[in-house]
Amino acid sequence: MLRQLPSKRWQARYRGPDGNVYSARTADDRPLTFLTKTDARGFLNRTQAAIARGEWESPEDAARRREAEAAEAARRDVTFRDYALAWLERVQHEPGKGGRPRRPGTVMVYRGRVHNYLLEPLGDVRVRDIDTAVVRELTAQIVARPSALKPGATHNGSPATPSTCSR
């Protein structure tokens, strides 16, 4: 259904497969009008083709989907620092294997390793940008550090070993 508004722009309305009448909307769920009748008719043709193919979704469902996609994108853009600190909180309060809470010493070891080895080099890196190559390079750097407690030692006491970084 097409109609010309007092502003001389055109409004397109259509009946969805659910029986409700919908007006054309933008991607951010605002009213959409068209400069020409041909543009409005083109929108209706595309919409009716999508309905016929079974690809149409209601404007409310489309808005919810876009909102969920935006939330997922924001979740993917979290920095390693934010993720690691949230993980440490979860580890401290949620049960571990067998449903038992983790011992304070275990949580302390996790916290120490995150703070001592990971936050400085990876803190501001987005989690989705951390791949196998980044982890291998970081592991090699950690293993190559000299021991702070025993200057002449062959191993620095880090949780990584030279064999883990050469794989």
Side-chain angles (χ1 to χ4, degrees), residues 3-15:
R3 73 177 186 143
Q4 192 170 26
L5 300 172
S7 64
K8 302 296 182 204
R9 294 185 62 87
W10 290 85
Q11 180 183 45
R13 300 178 73 198
Y14 61 95
R15 188 171 302 278

Side-chain angles (χ1 to χ4, degrees), residues 90-133:
R90 240 183 3 261
V91 162
Q92 185 173 359
H93 299 293
E94 290 181 3
K97 292 181 182 175
R100 295 186 315 265
R102 288 175 184 83
R103 293 182 178 191
T106 302
V107 174
M108 185 176 70
V109 168
Y110 291 167
R111 192 174 303 280
R113 288 186 177 164
V114 166
H115 285 283
N116 293 334
Y117 297 112
L118 302 175
L119 283 185
E120 183 181 328
L122 296 177
D124 296 327
V125 177
R126 292 182 303 188
V127 171
R128 68 177 170 168
D129 294 336
I130 299 172
D131 60 3
T132 306

Side-chain angles (χ1 to χ4, degrees), residues 2-68:
L2 299 174
R3 73 177 186 143
Q4 192 170 26
L5 300 172
S7 64
K8 302 296 182 204
R9 294 185 62 87
W10 290 85
Q11 180 183 45
R13 300 178 73 198
Y14 61 95
R15 188 171 302 278
D18 56 3
N20 294 328
V21 175
Y22 297 96
S23 295
R25 311 287 292 179
T26 62
D28 57 350
D29 203 31
R30 298 173 69 189
L32 177 63
T33 58
F34 302 90
L35 190 56
T36 66
K37 187 174 185 177
T38 304
D39 291 341
R41 187 171 286 131
F43 170 84
L44 282 180
N45 290 339
R46 288 188 302 276
T47 303
Q48 289 168 349
I51 290 170
R53 288 189 308 266
E55 298 172 356
W56 178 84
E57 60 183 339
S58 72
E60 295 85 15
D61 291 343
R64 278 193 293 275
R65 178 184 48 77
R66 283 189 299 275
E67 212 172 275

